[in-house]
Amino acid sequence: MKIIISFLLYIIFTFSPSFAQSVIKGVVLDRETKQPIHGATVYINNSSSATSTAKDGSFQLHQKIIQNQELVISNIGYEAAFETITTNNYEKVKIYLTRKITTLEEVSVIPFEKDGWAKWGKYFTESFIGTSKFAQKTKILNPDILRFRYNKSSKILTVIANEPIQIDNKELGYMISYDLISFRSNFSENTIQFEGFSYFKDYKRITKSILTQRRVAYQLSMMRFIRSYMNINGRRMVM
């Protein structure tokens, strides 16, 4: 639910008239050592605005300053972190990243499955990406970073990722990086829950076919619904 809510908030505030173009500035440090982290990815959740930290851990991200945006910081070997950006704190962001626990499998009663992707890959892909026309041509490029654990007694499947999931959305011409925070499928209750953060990049070459597919996808999207809703309510407010 967290990712859905944050995505909706991003869309709503993106089309709000109260924003200013500026630069988000800050620094990323190791929580334990307080040393700067070089090369960490810094991005606005569910957007194409991204950058990386310099040797001293500093970063600058040109972005429309909107209230309550999620600034996400991701780096291999660390837990992803986020900071809510407002018009008051965008020039002095300080983020501490916590190292991931590497002994998780050793202390767990239920180990990760050795051939997890072979057994659960299709199910995870369909649950995570979907089964639509566009989803069927979307591919996870680094499945080896996914770890699967299934509890037979509770019938619960959990999935974790050692680093961001790289996704190729061929039909729409996007490369997506997704920081998976959690994935949990309860077969007894027939429920699936997952959350995370993401940013995307355009293909270097955008064809007419991709533009056409994007228009088709937009007509069926939540973004179009929200824009239509805001336009209707905007007219009512004027009246």
Side-chain angles (χ1 to χ4, degrees):
M1 182 62 72
K2 181 177 182 181
I3 184 173
I4 296 174
I5 292 174
S6 63
F7 177 64
L8 295 180
L9 287 175
Y10 176 78
I11 294 172
I12 291 171
F13 285 116
T14 297
F15 298 100
S16 171
S18 57
F19 60 77
Q21 181 71 37
S22 192
V23 181
I24 300 174
K25 300 178 182 179
V27 64
V28 179
L29 306 171
D30 183 294
R31 183 176 297 279
E32 184 177 352
T33 66
K34 304 301 186 291
Q35 293 299 306
I37 298 177
H38 173 224
T41 302
V42 181
Y43 62 91
I44 298 295
N45 191 26
N46 295 306
S47 80
S48 59
S49 297
T51 187
S52 58
T53 56
K55 290 183 179 180
D56 61 356
S58 65
F59 66 87
Q60 294 188 10
L61 181 63
H62 292 269
Q63 173 68 20
K64 294 175 181 178
I65 304 303
I66 308 166
Q67 289 287 358
N68 301 320
Q69 291 180 104
E70 279 188 328
L71 182 73
V72 184
I73 298 83
S74 172
N75 196 50
I76 295 176
Y78 290 86
E79 301 286 349
F82 74 94
E83 178 78 12
T84 301
I85 297 301
T86 69
T87 54
N88 296 321
N89 71 348
Y90 71 91
E91 291 186 309
K92 49 184 178 182
V93 181
K94 181 179 286 189
I95 297 291
Y96 291 97
L97 294 186
T98 302
R99 291 184 180 274
K100 288 184 177 180
I101 300 174
T102 58
T103 57
L104 181 63
E105 186 169 4
E106 296 176 7
V107 300
S108 176
V109 176
I110 303 172
F112 292 112
E113 301 199 16
K114 292 182 179 179
D115 300 316
W117 178 255
K119 184 175 181 179
W120 297 105
K122 184 175 185 296
Y123 174 79
F124 174 79
T125 301
E126 292 180 350
S127 302
F128 178 62
I129 296 176
T131 57
S132 69
K133 168 189 172 183
F134 299 127
Q136 289 174 8
K137 294 187 178 181
T138 300
K139 184 179 180 180
I140 294 176
L141 301 179
N142 55 343
D144 54 301
I145 59 100
L146 295 166
R147 311 290 294 279
F148 299 82
R149 178 184 285 124
Y150 182 66
N151 187 322
K152 292 182 180 180
S153 60
S154 64
K155 295 183 179 180
I156 292 177
L157 172 71
T158 55
V159 185
I160 68 169
N162 295 326
E163 58 187 80
I165 303 173
Q166 302 303 319
I167 304 166
D168 183 2
N169 189 329
K170 186 176 181 180
E171 287 289 280
L172 302 183
Y174 292 121
M175 293 298 297
I176 304 166
S177 181
Y178 191 95
D179 282 293
L180 182 68
I181 304 302
S182 67
F183 179 97
R184 184 175 185 271
S185 177
N186 189 321
F187 290 92
S188 296
E189 299 177 356
N190 196 28
T191 60
I192 298 173
Q193 298 174 314
F194 66 89
E195 63 175 328
F197 305 103
S198 66
Y199 72 94
F200 58 90
K201 296 179 181 178
D202 279 319
Y203 274 14
K204 290 183 179 180
R205 182 172 176 268
I206 303 299
T207 64
K208 290 183 179 180
S209 174
I210 287 175
L211 292 176
T212 299
Q213 297 289 15
R214 286 183 180 183
R215 284 192 289 270
V216 172
Y218 174 71
Q219 293 300 316
L220 303 173
S221 69
M222 180 64 73
M223 181 181 288
R224 179 173 180 269
F225 169 79
I226 292 175
R227 283 180 173 176
S228 299
Y229 175 82
M230 293 181 68
N231 286 335
I232 292 172
N233 281 270
R235 294 193 194 100
R236 287 176 180 173
M237 290 174 67
V238 172
M239 294 173 64

